[in-house]
Amino acid sequence: MKDIENQEDLYLLVDTFYKKLLNDNAINYIFTDVVKIKIEEHLPILVTFWSQGILGTGGYTKNLTQIHLDIDKKEHLTPELFQIWLGHFYTTVDELFKGDKAEQIKTQALSIATIMQIKIMQQNK
């Protein structure tokens, strides 16, 4: 198995990951009912986000934290939802890639999920 090397690899990762999320009834409602994402529009944004963090390409300009805080106002993003998200993310990475970048993206995903949960708790005090 190869490591994550380019944006095509990240597209494969994100596309496969979102297929898992959208097929999981415990979390898919966030994407289909609450946010109502158009996956074909969302995937390139996610690839840009992860490419900036993992490959250093830059280009992501949105406020990731604020996006999730706004979603939480519509539907509480519970720790359980973050665990489901992380579980699918880790599984997808491990199914597709092996190497330093694969480990880095899993670590970054955990950091992001942790920060988001802290910010959500602060918002809901």
Side-chain angles (χ1 to χ4, degrees):
M1 237 187 306
K2 70 178 201 122
D3 201 357
I4 298 168
E5 298 172 353
N6 52 46
Q7 289 192 338
E8 291 78 23
D9 291 342
L10 289 170
Y11 190 91
L12 173 64
L13 170 62
V14 171
D15 185 47
T16 305
F17 169 59
Y18 266 79
K19 285 177 181 164
K20 289 181 190 315
L21 289 176
L22 293 172
N23 283 315
D24 185 334
N25 291 334
I27 195 169
N28 64 6
Y29 69 95
I30 297 292
F31 304 98
T32 59
D33 299 339
V34 178
V35 181
K36 298 180 182 167
I37 64 165
K38 294 182 176 79
I39 195 68
E40 63 281 351
E41 295 172 11
H42 196 55
L43 287 180
I45 295 167
L46 292 168
V47 169
T48 300
F49 171 79
W50 287 113
S51 181
Q52 178 169 295
I54 300 304
L55 303 175
T57 55
Y60 185 82
T61 58
K62 297 179 185 287
N63 183 333
L64 184 69
T65 302
Q66 191 59 54
I67 291 167
H68 288 82
L69 289 173
D70 291 346
I71 294 168
D72 182 72
K73 288 177 185 173
K74 295 177 187 176
E75 179 72 28
H76 181 52
L77 298 176
T78 65
E80 293 77 17
L81 289 171
F82 280 100
Q83 285 306 309
I84 294 167
W85 185 92
L86 278 172
H88 285 305
F89 195 84
Y90 291 171
T91 300
T92 306
V93 172
D94 290 342
E95 287 171 354
L96 298 172
F97 302 103
K98 183 177 175 91
D100 291 343
K101 296 286 186 195
E103 292 306 311
Q104 181 185 346
I105 203 168
K106 290 189 295 184
T107 300
Q108 191 169 342
L110 176 59
S111 296
I112 291 166
T114 302
I115 290 166
M116 292 295 165
Q117 290 177 82
I118 291 167
K119 296 287 188 181
I120 286 168
M121 284 191 306
Q122 290 172 341
Q123 171 176 271
N124 293 328
K125 280 186 177 180

